[in-house]
Amino acid sequence: MSATPAASASAVAPRHDLSSASSTHLTRARLVSVLTALTILLIASALIAVSFGSAHISLVRAFTDSASPDHAIFYGARLPRVLMGIAVGAVLAAVGAALQALVRNPLAEGGILGISGGGALGAIIALVMFARLGGGEATVPLCAFGAALLSTVAVYRLALVDGQLEPFTLLLVGVIFNAFWGAAIMLVNSVVNFYYAHSILFWLMGSLEAPTYREVEIVAGLGLVGFAVLMYHARDLNLLSLGDESAAELGVDVDALRRLIFVATSVMIGAAVSVSGIISFVGLIVPHMLRLAFGADHRLLLPASLIGGAAFMVFADLVARVAIAPAEIPVGAITALCGGPFFIFMLRREAKRPFSL
Amino acid sequence: MSAASIETTTPTVPAMRAHAIHAGYPGVPVLHGVSLQVLSGEMLAIVGPNGAGKSTLLKVLNGSMIPTGGTVELFGKSIVSIPRRDLARTIASVGQENAVAFRFTVLEIVLMGRAPHLGAFHFESPHDLEIASSALDRFGLLHLAGRHIQELSGGERKRVFLARALAQQPRVALLDEPTAFLDLKHVAEILARFRELCVDAAMAVVATMHDLNAAALYADRVLLLKDGATVAYGTPAEVLTADHLQRVYETDVYVGRNPSTGALMILPAAIAAPTRNFAD
């Protein structure tokens, strides 16, 4: 009933049916189809991974003859190894996606920001100290979590300049933290006895060697708790892309959200690091690929990273196991060999045109 | 609780009222006792030179900055007593900085305006989509709905953010320089769209502006600030006088009437300074 011609024109203008164009925004149907496809990919990669290894085994015999060596290799080595790959990959990729949203930087990642390094130092100190004094099995992941949280908060605080988070300053602070934690770990390595030296090397390289079912349970359990927190705030993470101020004006308690995500991601990284050491770049490569393919909405990106990260890690670990069999490459070396060039490519892209990918 | 808990129906209660606002940053006071009120269906323009405190005043009005003195009321309720999400359902703000991290589409950005109305696990309903598409339509952006925000021009991006604010279905819109860096056509269009919203949706609009002629054309009331204090506050004809403007902008100003429309017209006059020879 407006008198202005512009208003009446817009009132009779044909409505574009946006609901049919699902590529322009996230719909429940798209969420379900993408996650289903990724789950199929994960199952396929897990099946391939349990079928191959340095020893040739028959899956049929493994399932039917519990006295056979095939059975022992399958349940004792292959299965826990693949399950651990699933748990660690899922955790690292989901954490990467959440941290990127929080700092509005697609190059952020637990390994790159030095958070995994802090967690590893915490785990090592716990291992060395409490193995002598005695402590529960929770001590190592707990110390890894504490140290990861400390690293997260420190890196974030130190990268803030006049209340602004400058993207490249953040990455540089991460680089320095990595170097610092690496040096601290080497220091611990040189003062403890030889018995621990292998474990410490293992943490520095990042490996899924010889996990127990109990370790899988710990990573999966803590990972899922942390992931539930991230998922509950998926929409808030979308709003953070508009900037802290705009997010607050849309109803997000930004400071509380940041604290919560810091704790959740530190729990997840602490759990992953305490069993597998520093595996970098998974949290960078996986969310980036998925964002490119399926869009930036975190309600899809977070669960997609969880499943996609699991599949990626299972594949990377398969390569680590079979490439130079019977010897093994630490899986952290595989991910870094892929991730290094990938990071440089993205860094140059971001420097030229931010968020052009 | 819900938006309904903020009483928005009584016409005598101003949509927004600020009384004797003092505010600033640590060690840097910016505002010195500024008061204003805006009714539903009214547009208030805040004008003044750079550094007058216009953006700071908007931050106080939208609740993101706590004033060191004075009170802000939204429909008669103190703004500090209103929960963040209720506030987001009542006030929509559009700042000057509109950078977006990650490749969201235009429609996704506008749908973010629905967030204060939705639960954590709710997907946008067809109703939300309809609100977003009509907001896009109002700013002539429907054809860009599927484009990534980074691919748009500065002017298009600005309109996307205004559309996002509209999708919030606010009772009050607080706009910081909504027409900065836009061409003549889009300045007129955007302000006309907000005028429509004042009339059709009884929205109260508060906008900071540099363009005095735009303020004169579209605003019901004008607040003229200098150095964080009110110089004049009232209708455009009362506020935008040669005397006031010369005092505030420290340059000669000509205020007349557009001979074809009768609208207020403000031009730099530069009586005292050397100019071109106009004798020819």
Side-chain angles (χ1 to χ4, degrees), chain A residues 165-337:
Chain A
L165 200 59
E166 211 278 316
F168 295 112
T169 308
L170 179 75
L171 297 175
L172 283 175
V173 172
V175 167
I176 299 304
F177 264 71
N178 259 324
F180 189 80
W181 295 140
I185 290 168
M186 293 315 283
L187 185 73
V188 175
N189 189 26
S190 57
V191 296
V192 297
N193 68 36
F194 184 77
Y195 171 73
Y196 297 110
H198 176 76
S199 306
I200 288 169
L201 207 61
F202 165 100
W203 258 300
L204 268 180
M205 304 291 280
S207 163
L208 295 170
E209 232 178 307
T212 65
Y213 284 103
R214 183 75 192 132
E215 286 173 332
V216 174
E217 279 170 22
I218 289 170
V219 181
L222 291 175
L224 282 176
V225 169
F227 181 74
V229 172
L230 302 185
M231 209 49 214
Y232 185 78
H233 291 283
R235 193 202 307 275
D236 294 342
L237 291 175
N238 286 346
L239 298 179
L240 270 191
S241 308
L242 304 172
D244 284 4
E245 236 172 78
S246 295
E249 286 157 8
L250 285 165
V252 180
D253 187 342
V254 175
D255 291 333
L257 175 68
R258 183 171 295 125
R259 280 194 294 271
L260 197 60
I261 301 292
F262 278 169
V263 172
T265 53
S266 297
V267 166
M268 295 167 83
I269 289 186
V273 160
S274 64
V275 297
S276 65
I278 306 169
I279 301 177
S280 294
F281 297 107
V282 177
L284 179 81
I285 298 170
V286 173
H288 186 75
M289 292 300 201
L290 294 169
R291 208 182 276 120
L292 211 56
F294 306 118
D297 195 318
H298 291 89
R299 290 173 291 178
L300 172 57
L301 184 64
L302 287 173
S305 295
L306 190 82
I307 303 169
F312 179 88
M313 185 65 95
V314 166
F315 259 121
D317 191 47
L318 178 63
V319 173
R321 285 190 288 127
V322 301
I324 54 162
E328 261 196 35
I329 307 167
V331 70
I334 304 279
T335 62
L337 285 171

Side-chain angles (χ1 to χ4, degrees), chain A residues 1-2 4 6-7 10-11 13-16 18-21 23-28 30-31 97 100-102 104-106 228 231-233 235 237-243 245-246 248-254 291-292 294-299 353-357, chain B residues 59 62 64 84-85 87-89 91-95 97-109 111-116 118-124 126 129-130 132-134 136-138 142-143 145-148 150-151 161 164 168 192-193 196 199-200:
Chain A
M1 283 304 290
S2 170
T4 63
S10 75
R15 283 267 177 272
H16 292 224
L18 294 172
S19 57
S20 65
S23 65
T24 57
H25 71 290
L26 181 63
T27 59
R28 188 175 279 116
R30 191 148 73 99
L31 182 80
Q100 285 150 24
L102 202 64
R104 286 188 282 278
N105 189 336
M231 209 49 214
Y232 185 78
H233 291 283
R235 193 202 307 275
L237 291 175
N238 286 346
L239 298 179
L240 270 191
S241 308
L242 304 172
E245 236 172 78
S246 295
E249 286 157 8
L250 285 165
V252 180
D253 187 342
V254 175
R291 208 182 276 120
L292 211 56
F294 306 118
D297 195 318
H298 291 89
R299 290 173 291 178
R353 285 186 61 195
F355 304 109
S356 60
L357 279 179
Chain B
K59 281 183 191 165
N62 77 17
S64 62
R84 199 182 291 272
R85 262 171 74 87
L87 214 53
R89 292 192 202 107
I91 299 179
S93 297
V94 180
E97 286 273 328
N98 292 314
V100 179
F102 305 111
R103 294 199 355 135
F104 285 97
T105 65
V106 167
L107 179 60
E108 283 172 330
I109 300 277
L111 280 172
M112 286 181 194
R114 300 304 299 156
L118 297 169
F121 292 114
H122 287 153
F123 272 84
E124 292 82 1
L129 216 58
E130 177 61 34
S133 77
S134 86
L136 281 169
D137 196 20
R138 199 178 273 269
L142 259 184
H143 63 293
R147 294 273 293 277
H148 290 120
Q150 282 82 8
E151 297 163 10
F161 282 87
R164 191 214 74 211
Q168 275 176 264
R193 290 299 94 82
E196 281 165 27
V199 176
D200 301 348

Side-chain angles (χ1 to χ4, degrees), chain B residues 66-81:
Chain B
I66 308 293
T68 51
T71 54
V72 179
E73 283 175 14
L74 184 64
F75 294 99
K77 273 184 81 170
S78 170
I79 199 161
V80 293
S81 71

Side-chain angles (χ1 to χ4, degrees), chain B residues 254-272:
Chain B
Y254 163 84
V255 178
R257 292 275 173 186
N258 182 332
S260 56
T261 64
L264 214 55
M265 207 170 67
I266 297 120
L267 294 170
I271 296 162

